[in-house]
Amino acid sequence: MALFDRFWKGSRARADEGAGAPAGFFPLYESSRPDDDDDDDDLPRPRVSGTPSYDEWDAKLGLVDEALAATEKKRLRWWQRDYWRARSKLWWTGRGLLATFVTLALLIAWLTVTAPLSKSLEPIAPPQVTLLASDGTPIARQGAIVEAPVKIKDLPPHVAQAFIAIEDRRFYSHWGIDPRGIARAAWTGYGGGSTITQQLAKFTFLTPEQSITRKAREALIALWLEGWLTKDEILERYLSNAYFGDNQYGLRAASLHYFYRQPEKLRPEQAAMLAGLLQAPSRFAPTKHYDKAKARMELVVQSMVEEGYLTAAEAKALPDPRIDVRTRDDNLPTGTYFADWALPLAREGMEAGYSKQVLTTTLDSRLQALASRIVARAPLGGAQVALVAMRRNGEVVAMVGGRDYAKSPFNRATQARRQPGSTFKTFVYLTALQEGWGPDDTIPNTPITQGSYRPKNAREQYSPQITLEDAFASSSNVAAVRLFQAVGSDKVIATARRLGISAPMTEGDPSLALGTSSMTLMELTAAYAGIAANEYPVEPHAFPRGDRGFWEWMTTRTSSMSSGDHEELEEMLRAAINRGTGRGASLPIANYGKTGTTQDYRDALFVGYAGDLVVGVWIGKDDNTPLAGVTGGSLPARIWRDFMLSALKIEAAPAPAADDTPDPEGPVQPLDVLEGGEIPLGQDGTSLRVDENGVSLRQDGVPVEVRVDGGGVVVQPAPAPTPPP
């Protein structure tokens, strides 16, 4: 047989090489195989019906051509059914194990990133932070009451037993998910469907949303925690982070709050009451609902008896726990305009932990109280107000974000984006100075009659030419627009950006010269602080910063203007406040500032600086309706002046206001442009009007006459003007 196989294979090889076999040697084989020497290779020769084919002979004799088989196999593609049918069971088993390993590796990597074990050691709520003024005066306190974590080995056995009995009876025997516990919860209606491990996963890593996806992630993370932590570690992290009501997070905080004792000394009835709070902390809080808390405690005690942690006699002998909430220093407000702005900045740099924080801020308690008193006595009518005071280096020392924080915590100093009006012109004139213009250079002050944008001056006051200093002091709109177009909108925008203005600004829009780009009062005031310091941008900050080190000085990018440009700009700012639209803010010391009034008197602003203080004042309505003729040079300028006089100790501080004013709330929408109109003198409708006809006094819009006689000051309607002949 071996000789036959060799002869057969040799003949096959010679045939493939072209030598061929003796004629008629294998008649049936030759009649059925293709002729390699013919041109028509793909056409088989006729063969006798019923005789075996080439492949059939090979199969019968076990002589399968491996090269041909490989070629045939290559012809199959992965999407063809035969491609997969040809795979052996061993191949499928290997590939299945490999896929399982890859999936497991990806799952572990995902859990490592999204559910790091270290996160379960962190408190789930930010711990309490107390803010102090720069002189150490407490000003606000916010955050949850969180105390140090607990250790299971240090707690009495009945403490952990109370929580296990009511929350997860099979805690020490399951792997994070307990089907029996879920079934029992559904049947009895209590006891909790989620295990302690699942609850830890939920409030540590996940949101409280109710969805199948969230429950699946909760179960997956629970298995992850069970695989890497011991049961006692899981229970410790659970007890140290759970919410117990009354803003108390963790067993230690709750034990001190409700019973004024450390958890290591809790009695069984006290532990049972605390364990009962977890299902609904606010509803069962014993400080507000003692009867509900006691009923829930009795259910916990019953569960402890069923689990063998207590005997029936011991349970019956347990007394009702006595609540012992000690008086704490809770007089500090939990929120103020300044605290709401400062706390998020503080928490950005905090490391996660259980310890309370006490932080000293830049707020000056004297200046803050002064700002509050001055704003409270201002005749605002139905308007809102905001005030920001900062040092030239950006330290915020006072902030008022509205008339009444309790009624409206919306901070109009840091959150409201309103148009700055003519206070933006400072950036236009600074750009002109840097481009070679001077305060004594002139520009047309005539009406703009060409183009689609045709702003007007307040009270229609024009002149053929006007110097830049006079145009700035009188807040000429047409001069500002012409100057804006002369120096180029791109350069003005670049100047504003260097000073820290981040508001959207469109190149080529001439209305930008008059302050149509919305921004916050804080942002605008910080830009003026940069002008005052001649180093910008200035970043407003709520916490003291030390002197910059060499590396910080090298890597911090700041800009400044030339001393000549700075002197000329301050010359114009002095002109605006001393003899221009800001005369109402003038001080008996060197002072600099600019007024701003938006279209239809929707916003009125004054921003300026004197001494080491830079202060911005805004007045407007939340619903963006017009003010009663209030301009930047009227009430905002007077508020600015009153604050500066007392802040710089030029004049005694005002007494607290006796009355309270309403606090309208509504959407904040910006708008802008003109200046001028009536100056309100009080809340009785009296106003002073300055126009081309001189000075007139009005009451509720009606001209009045004031005279002094023997009976005192008399206010009466002004006589009607005599008609011309």
Side-chain angles (χ1 to χ4, degrees), residues 404-421:
D404 190 337
Y405 179 86
K407 294 180 180 179
S408 176
F410 179 76
N411 194 333
R412 295 154 188 86
T414 61
Q415 294 175 288
R417 303 189 69 85
R418 305 293 287 248
Q419 294 185 349

Side-chain angles (χ1 to χ4, degrees), residues 419-488:
Q419 294 185 349
S422 294
T423 58
F424 190 87
K425 292 176 182 176
T426 300
F427 310 132
V428 178
Y429 282 81
L430 173 56
T431 306
L433 293 176
Q434 293 176 331
E435 289 298 308
W437 292 66
D440 295 330
D441 290 338
T442 60
I443 195 167
N445 192 34
T446 56
I448 295 176
T449 58
Q450 295 181 345
S452 58
Y453 183 65
R454 301 182 181 184
K456 298 179 180 179
N457 282 348
R459 298 181 294 278
E460 299 283 344
Q461 293 184 346
Y462 303 99
S463 60
Q465 294 286 326
I466 191 171
T467 65
L468 294 194
E469 182 175 318
D470 290 341
F472 186 81
S474 62
S475 200
S476 170
N477 290 331
V478 296
V481 171
R482 285 192 172 103
L483 188 62
F484 176 83
Q485 293 173 329
V487 299

Side-chain angles (χ1 to χ4, degrees), residues 110-111 113-115 198 201-202 205-207 209 211-224:
W110 175 74
L111 288 171
V113 173
T114 61
Q198 285 178 278
K202 178 175 63 177
F205 299 101
L206 303 174
T207 61
E209 66 168 323
S211 66
I212 296 178
T213 303
R214 203 271 299 162
K215 291 295 291 184
R217 290 190 65 205
E218 175 186 302
L220 196 60
I221 296 173
L223 293 173
W224 164 257

Side-chain angles (χ1 to χ4, degrees), residues 16 55 100 173 182 235 313-314 363 411 448 455 483 545 554 718:
D16 291 338
D55 292 335
T100 302
S173 60
I182 296 174
L235 188 57
E314 290 174 334
L363 192 77
N411 194 333
I448 295 176
L483 188 62
R545 297 177 178 176
M554 288 289 293

Side-chain angles (χ1 to χ4, degrees), residues 32-84:
S32 62
R33 62 165 294 177
D35 185 358
D36 295 336
D37 296 330
D38 291 346
D39 294 333
D40 51 349
D41 290 340
D42 55 311
L43 296 176
R45 294 181 180 182
R47 65 182 177 87
V48 180
S49 176
T51 58
S53 66
Y54 173 87
D55 292 335
E56 289 170 343
W57 275 110
D58 283 351
K60 287 182 178 182
L61 297 174
L63 302 175
V64 178
D65 191 333
E66 295 180 0
L68 180 62
T71 303
E72 291 294 333
K73 187 177 180 181
K74 288 180 180 178
R75 292 175 184 172
L76 294 175
R77 298 295 183 263
W78 64 268
W79 60 82
Q80 294 175 316
R81 186 179 301 175
D82 290 343
Y83 180 88
W84 300 105

Side-chain angles (χ1 to χ4, degrees), residues 440-670:
D440 295 330
D441 290 338
T442 60
I443 195 167
N445 192 34
T446 56
I448 295 176
T449 58
Q450 295 181 345
S452 58
Y453 183 65
R454 301 182 181 184
K456 298 179 180 179
N457 282 348
R459 298 181 294 278
E460 299 283 344
Q461 293 184 346
Y462 303 99
S463 60
Q465 294 286 326
I466 191 171
T467 65
L468 294 194
E469 182 175 318
D470 290 341
F472 186 81
S474 62
S475 200
S476 170
N477 290 331
V478 296
V481 171
R482 285 192 172 103
L483 188 62
F484 176 83
Q485 293 173 329
V487 299
S489 63
D490 57 332
K491 294 180 180 178
V492 173
I493 293 173
T495 298
R497 293 281 185 239
R498 286 195 298 272
L499 284 161
I501 300 297
S502 61
M505 292 178 282
T506 304
E507 287 191 17
D509 181 6
S511 69
L512 186 63
L514 306 184
T516 56
S517 179
S518 302
M519 62 190 68
T520 65
L521 181 64
M522 176 74 81
E523 185 177 2
L524 181 63
T525 306
Y528 273 72
I531 293 173
N534 195 16
E535 185 178 8
Y536 43 83
V538 169
E539 181 183 359
H541 50 276
F543 300 95
R545 297 177 178 176
D547 295 334
R548 286 189 299 177
F550 176 76
W551 177 252
E552 187 179 1
W553 178 80
M554 288 289 293
T555 56
T556 302
R557 185 177 180 180
T558 59
S559 302
S560 62
M561 63 191 86
S562 68
S563 58
D565 291 342
H566 188 242
E567 290 176 1
E568 290 177 340
L569 182 61
E570 288 198 325
E571 180 182 334
M572 290 192 284
L573 289 168
R574 280 199 305 271
I577 195 173
N578 292 325
R579 60 182 178 83
T581 56
R583 290 189 300 273
S586 182
L587 301 174
I589 62 172
N591 49 179
Y592 313 86
K594 185 70 184 76
T595 59
T597 310
T598 62
Q599 190 175 16
D600 298 329
Y601 308 103
R602 298 177 188 272
D603 303 273
L605 303 96
F606 189 90
V607 186
Y609 57 93
D612 191 37
L613 289 177
V614 186
V615 180
V617 178
W618 166 87
I619 293 176
K621 294 185 178 181
D622 286 346
D623 59 5
N624 206 34
T625 55
L627 300 167
V630 178
T631 66
S634 59
L635 189 54
R638 291 203 302 276
I639 291 176
W640 188 91
R641 180 178 184 273
D642 290 346
F643 177 82
M644 283 296 201
L645 285 173
S646 298
L648 301 176
K649 299 183 178 179
I650 303 171
E651 189 176 279
D659 60 333
D660 189 19
T661 51
D663 180 30
E665 299 184 36
V668 178
Q669 300 175 351

Side-chain angles (χ1 to χ4, degrees), residues 180-196:
R180 287 174 54 183
I182 296 174
R184 180 173 58 84
W187 178 259
T188 62
Y190 69 88
S194 296
T195 65
I196 284 177

